Amino acid sequence: ALDLSNPAPSAPRLQVQSAKDIGELRAWWATLEAHAVIELTSTRVLPGPLSEVFAASQVDDLEAVEMLVVGFIREYLLGETDQYFGFIAVEHTIEQLLALVSDKKDSSHEVPLEPFSVRHFRSFESMGLLQIRESQPFIPEPIRPAMVLGAMLTLADLELAE
């Protein structure tokens, strides 16, 4: 099991050419564009057809919100495949996510991959998609279906890429 007892290390200062060079931002932009919340031109970001759904002071369409969470999980994890040990690390993180929601305890995971899953889980924590309770990751019940679907769609994309 992952040990998340230590606080997340402070993020290093990044020198980037574009916001798309930061995984979490790239994933949100890609998700918003894919789900027609925004439209990107060569020089501008414009409201998309679904932007009004999310511009309201209170969003009543929970399916639309879940759709964004699913899209973010998928885009973030697929983007992480470009990193060192990418495919293997993302598959390990997906296994960890699915084990969280199935409540099965499996200690057979390879220890060398834990730092990658910790990084992914800390990103999800910073986005409010999971919590750390007693040094262990926990996905709140209302968001579990979206997290599982995002992880499973990512896994399907990875299998198609092989």
Side-chain angles (χ1 to χ4, degrees), residues 53-130:
V53 170
F54 297 99
S57 60
Q58 181 174 340
V59 178
D60 294 324
D61 187 355
L62 292 181
E63 284 184 21
V65 174
E66 287 178 345
M67 170 185 71
L68 291 182
V69 171
V70 168
F72 172 77
I73 297 296
R74 181 181 163 274
E75 291 291 339
Y76 173 77
L77 289 173
L78 288 175
E80 287 293 296
T81 60
D82 293 340
Q83 303 299 316
Y84 195 61
F85 287 123
F87 281 96
I88 296 169
V90 167
E91 286 175 345
H92 184 265
T93 297
I94 291 169
E95 287 176 21
Q96 295 283 334
L97 281 171
L98 297 178
L100 282 177
V101 298
S102 71
D103 293 328
K104 73 175 184 183
K105 303 296 182 215
D106 182 4
S107 60
S108 67
H109 300 294
E110 296 178 32
V111 174
L113 295 175
E114 282 193 14
F116 298 102
S117 291
V118 169
R119 186 183 74 228
H120 299 155
F121 277 55
R122 289 296 186 179
S123 289
F124 295 148
E125 178 191 24
S126 72
M127 295 289 176
L129 299 175
L130 66 77

Side-chain angles (χ1 to χ4, degrees), residues 18-32:
S18 164
K20 291 183 178 182
D21 294 338
I22 301 170
E24 291 87 346
L25 290 177
R26 183 207 45 78
W28 276 123
W29 281 99
T31 300
L32 293 173

